[in-house]
Amino acid sequence: YSAGINLPSNSGKAMVCPREMSNRISDLDFILYFYSFDTYRLTASGALFDAVNYKKPIIALRNDYFEYFFNKYGRIGYLVDTIEEMADLLARISVGDEKDGYFEFEKIQTKLSIRNLSKVFVGHLRKVEFIEKWFI
């Protein structure tokens, strides 16, 4: 029995080359995240942005960061509370019993674009400047 696991050809190096990573992510239907609620901080934020960039839905264990991201930017997949729930969801998806949700990749990519984030950052700087001018 084969689990269908295909390991990268990085020969024991810490990272795969960008082209191989891009090809591997492009071939995925979902990206699974097993970061538990008590261990995740900012470790996987780059991995989450890969999912957004490649428009790949996620199935993740619920934690504060993923909930924050879904609430602030939009839904890009499913959040579950246990690995058993994740397995059940994957089983339902694989037989077509779970409809693919609408995932808001374009909206999220717009919100996270350099142009939009620059406007947000400038707005924050102006607030700080105003506060310093009038209250310090």
Side-chain angles (χ1 to χ4, degrees):
Y1 171 76
S2 172
I5 298 172
N6 182 301
L7 297 174
S9 61
N10 61 342
S11 304
K13 297 176 188 170
M15 297 174 56
V16 297
C17 72
R19 182 183 315 139
E20 183 173 3
M21 182 174 160
S22 177
N23 290 339
R24 286 178 172 278
I25 293 173
S26 296
D27 288 342
L28 298 174
D29 295 319
F30 287 89
I31 299 176
L32 306 180
Y33 295 94
F34 293 92
Y35 299 101
S36 66
F37 74 93
D38 59 342
T39 60
Y40 182 88
R41 293 295 176 257
L42 294 178
T43 312
S45 57
L48 185 61
F49 288 114
D50 286 335
V52 172
N53 186 45
Y54 286 92
K55 298 180 182 176
K56 295 295 178 177
I58 71 166
I59 301 174
L61 291 175
R62 185 179 317 278
N63 64 45
D64 290 345
Y65 181 73
F66 288 128
E67 285 190 329
Y68 161 81
F69 189 93
F70 275 45
N71 290 330
K72 182 166 179 80
Y73 296 106
R75 190 167 166 257
I76 61 165
Y78 302 94
L79 298 179
V80 297
D81 294 312
T82 66
I83 291 175
E84 292 78 17
E85 283 183 42
M86 187 182 286
D88 290 343
L89 176 60
L90 286 167
R92 290 193 314 271
I93 290 169
S94 71
V95 296
D97 288 345
E98 179 76 31
K99 290 185 178 181
D100 280 339
Y102 170 72
F103 306 120
E104 303 169 331
F105 291 109
E106 288 81 12
K107 180 177 107 175
I108 295 167
Q109 286 175 335
T110 299
K111 285 182 176 181
L112 294 172
S113 69
I114 292 172
R115 173 174 281 176
N116 189 57
L117 290 176
S118 296
K119 290 177 186 177
V120 170
F121 184 64
V122 167
H124 288 304
L125 289 175
R126 287 192 175 128
K127 287 179 189 174
V128 170
E129 184 179 279
F130 174 80
I131 290 169
E132 286 181 349
K133 181 177 179 181
W134 292 102
F135 297 106
I136 297 180

